C-alpha cells in the first residue's frame, strides 16, 4: 500500500498538514503544497491527477521506476525524473525520484524506502532574505541531494580500481579480480550515462525558460550542474583507468606467456641435441662410423655436453632462461 503525506509550506516551514480527500484550502501568495508519495497505487495517482491536473503521460512515466532522468513540460507544469545511486558490492543500485512541479505545488514520488528525499527545510532557513522558497527551490534541494549521493559511489569505485591497479604492478590479477574489474567497468559506464542524462536535465533547468522555475533559483541549479560536470569528468577518468588496467594486464600476461614459451623452447633445444645424437647411435646398423673407435664413447658424451653447455650459455645471454 502506498504512503501519501501532504503539507502546506510557507517560508520554509510546514504550517498545515493535509489529507488528499479533504477540501483544498486557499493558499497565500508565498505558500505552496508539497505532496510526498511512496510506492503509489493507481487510485492514489488518480486522486492526484484530478486534484492537481497532472498530465496522463507524466502519470504513466511516474508509475515506472526504471525511467531515465528527464524533464517534460506540460503547459504550466513540469515533470522531472531524477536518479539517486548507491554502490552495493560491485553493483550500483539506482532509485528514482519523480517530481511534478507547478507554481503552487510539488509532488514527489518514490518507489523504494531507501531513496530518502532531501530535507529541504534547512536550506530554506539558510536561504537569503531575497529568496522566497517555493516548489522550484524544493526541486533544487532534491536534485542537490540526489547528485550528492553519487560522490561516495564514484569514490568507492575509484578506490577499488586504484587498489587493483597497484596489485597489478605487484603481481598478476587473478580471474576473480579480472571479473570484478569487468563488472566495475560496466557499472561505471552505466553511471556515466545516468550522469549525462542528469546533467542534461539540470542544464535545462538552469539555462532555459522552464515553467515554474524562477530566475532566483537558476544559479542554484547551475551550481548542481557544475557538480555533475565534475562527476562526469571523474567517472570518465575512471573508465580510462580501468581500460588502461585491462591493457596492462593483457600485456603483462602476453609477456609472461612469451617468457614461458621462450624458456620451454630453450630447454627443448638443449635437450634436443643429446636426444638427436643418442637417437642416431641407437640405430641397429652394422656399418656405422666410430662404432669400433676406442674413444668413441667419451668423445660423443663430451660432444653432447659441449653442445648443451653452449646452448645454455647462449640462451642465458638472450635471457630465455
Amino acid at each position: 500500500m502506498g504512503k501519501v503525506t501532504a503539507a502546506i509550506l510557507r517560508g520554509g516551514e510546514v504550517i498545515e498538514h493535509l489529507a488528499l480527500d479533504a477540501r483544498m484550502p486557499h493558499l497565500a501568495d508565498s505558500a505552496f503544497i508539497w505532496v510526498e508519495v511512496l510506492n503509489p497505487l493507481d487510485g492514489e495517482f488518480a486522486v492526484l491527477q484530478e486534484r492537481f491536473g497532472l498530465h496522463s503521460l507524466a502519470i504513466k512515466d511516474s508509475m515506472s521506476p526504471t525511467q531515465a532522468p528527464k524533464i517534460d513540460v506540460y503547459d504550466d507544469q513540469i515533470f522531472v525524473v531524477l536518479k539517486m545511486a548507491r554502490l552495493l558490492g560491485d553493483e550500483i543500485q539506482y532509485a528514482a525520484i519523480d517530481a511534478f512541479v507547478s507554481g503552487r505545488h510539488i509532488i514527489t514520488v518514490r518507489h523504494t524506502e531507501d531513496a530518502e528525499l532531501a530535507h529541504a527545510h534547512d536550506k530554506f532557513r539558510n536561504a537569503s532574505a531575497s529568496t522566497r522558497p517555493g516548489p522550484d527551490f524544493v526541486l533544487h534541494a532534491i536534485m542537490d541531494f540526489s547528485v550528492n549521493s553519487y560522490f561516495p559511489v564514484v569514490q568507492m569505485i575509484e578506490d577499488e580500481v586504484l587498489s587493483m591497479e597497484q596489485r597489478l604492478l605487484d603481481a598478476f590479477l587473478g580471474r576473480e579480480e579480472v571479473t570484478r574489474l569487468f563488472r566495475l567497468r560496466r557499472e561505471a559506464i552505466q553511471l556515466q550515462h545516468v550522469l549525462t542524462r542528469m546533467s542534461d536535465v539540470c542544464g535545462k533547468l538552469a539555462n532555459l525558460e522552464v515553467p515554474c522555475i524562477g530566475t532566483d533559483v537558476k544559479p542554484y541549479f547551475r551550481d548542481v550542474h557544475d557538480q555533475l560536470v565534475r562527476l562526469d569528468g571523474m567517472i570518465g577518468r575512471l573508465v580510462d583507468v580501468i581500460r588502461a588496467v585491462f591493457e596492462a594486464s593483457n600485456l603483462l600476461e602476453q609477456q609472461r606467456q612469451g617468457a614461458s614459451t621462450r624458456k620451454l623452447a630453450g630447454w627443448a633445444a638443449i635437450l634436443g641435441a643429446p636426444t638427436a645424437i643418442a637417437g642416431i647411435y641407437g640405430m641397429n646398423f652394422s656399418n656405422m662410423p666410430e662404432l669400433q673407435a676406442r674413444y668413441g664413447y667419451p668423445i660423443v658424451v663430451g660432444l653432447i655436453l659441449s653442445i648443451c653447455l653452449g646452448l645454455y650459455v647462449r640462451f642465458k645471454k638472450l635471457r630465455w632462461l
Side-chain angles (χ1 to χ4, degrees):
M1 179 178 294
K3 178 182 178 181
V4 181
T5 58
I8 299 177
L9 287 84
R10 184 172 63 229
E13 300 290 344
V14 176
I15 61 175
E16 183 181 350
H17 290 279
L18 296 175
L20 289 183
D21 56 355
R23 181 179 179 182
M24 289 296 172
H26 176 73
L27 299 177
D29 291 341
S30 59
F32 66 94
I33 298 176
W34 184 358
V35 181
E36 298 180 86
V37 186
L38 176 63
N39 295 324
L41 302 176
D42 293 345
E44 293 166 341
F45 266 131
V47 174
L48 292 173
Q49 183 176 15
E50 179 183 357
R51 286 189 172 271
F52 297 99
L54 307 181
H55 199 280
S56 58
L57 291 178
I59 293 289
K60 181 179 178 181
D61 290 340
S62 185
M63 293 176 66
S64 173
T66 60
Q67 286 287 329
K70 67 174 183 176
I71 176 173
D72 293 328
V73 179
Y74 300 101
D75 296 329
D76 60 341
Q77 298 188 29
I78 60 174
F79 173 68
V80 182
V81 178
L82 306 176
K83 288 283 188 181
M84 296 176 59
R86 184 176 61 180
L87 186 63
L88 296 178
D90 298 336
E91 182 181 358
I92 301 177
Q93 289 191 349
Y94 297 94
I97 301 179
D98 305 332
F100 302 84
V101 186
S102 76
R104 305 309 299 272
H105 72 259
I106 177 170
I107 302 171
T108 54
V109 180
R110 294 176 292 158
H111 295 273
T112 59
E113 289 278 2
D114 294 334
E116 299 178 357
L117 283 174
H119 190 28
H121 301 161
D122 293 337
K123 290 182 175 292
F124 295 157
R125 297 190 185 100
N126 296 331
S128 63
S130 60
T131 303
R132 299 178 61 185
D136 50 358
F137 204 94
V138 176
L139 178 62
H140 158 262
I142 297 172
M143 178 172 286
D144 185 55
F145 185 81
S146 302
V147 172
N148 286 335
S149 72
Y150 291 103
F151 282 98
V153 174
V154 174
Q155 187 62 50
M156 291 178 68
I157 295 177
E158 182 179 16
D159 292 342
E160 186 65 29
V161 171
L162 294 180
S163 176
M164 287 190 180
E165 184 182 37
Q166 184 61 43
R167 289 199 295 272
L168 174 65
L169 298 177
D170 298 335
F172 294 101
L173 295 180
R175 180 181 179 86
E176 292 184 359
E177 290 177 315
V178 172
T179 302
R180 179 177 174 82
L181 201 59
F182 265 109
R183 287 197 295 264
L184 287 175
R185 178 177 178 269
R186 183 182 65 247
E187 296 295 339
I189 292 175
Q190 184 179 1
L191 177 59
Q192 194 173 31
H193 293 163
V194 173
L195 289 174
T196 300
R197 299 294 295 268
M198 287 283 289
S199 180
D200 182 61
V201 171
C202 194
K204 290 179 179 178
L205 293 172
N207 301 313
L208 301 181
E209 292 298 326
V210 180
C212 324
I213 304 300
T215 56
D216 54 343
V217 186
K218 288 183 179 294
Y220 294 93
F221 282 113
R222 280 193 285 270
D223 179 69
V224 177
H225 185 264
D226 291 341
Q227 296 184 53
L228 285 167
V229 172
R230 177 187 169 194
L231 281 167
D232 186 69
M234 292 172 62
I235 202 67
R237 288 190 293 272
L238 278 179
V239 172
D240 292 338
V241 171
I242 293 174
R243 186 179 296 111
V245 171
F246 275 130
E247 293 175 354
S249 178
N250 186 42
L251 289 175
L252 289 175
E253 181 64 23
Q254 290 179 1
Q255 183 182 23
R256 184 182 68 86
Q257 292 179 356
S260 299
T261 302
R262 289 194 298 270
K263 186 175 294 187
L264 291 173
W267 284 113
I270 292 174
L271 295 176
T275 301
I277 296 175
I280 292 173
Y281 280 92
M283 299 178 182
N284 295 321
F285 294 107
S286 300
N287 298 320
M288 291 185 67
E290 286 87 26
L291 286 180
Q292 305 300 324
R294 183 175 182 179
Y295 299 104
Y297 179 77
I299 291 174
V300 172
V301 172
L303 178 63
I304 290 175
L305 293 177
S306 299
I307 294 175
C308 291
L309 180 61
L311 289 174
Y312 179 82
V313 172
R314 178 60 177 170
F315 290 141
K316 201 70 173 177
K317 288 183 179 180
L318 294 174
R319 296 183 178 180
W320 281 34
L321 300 177

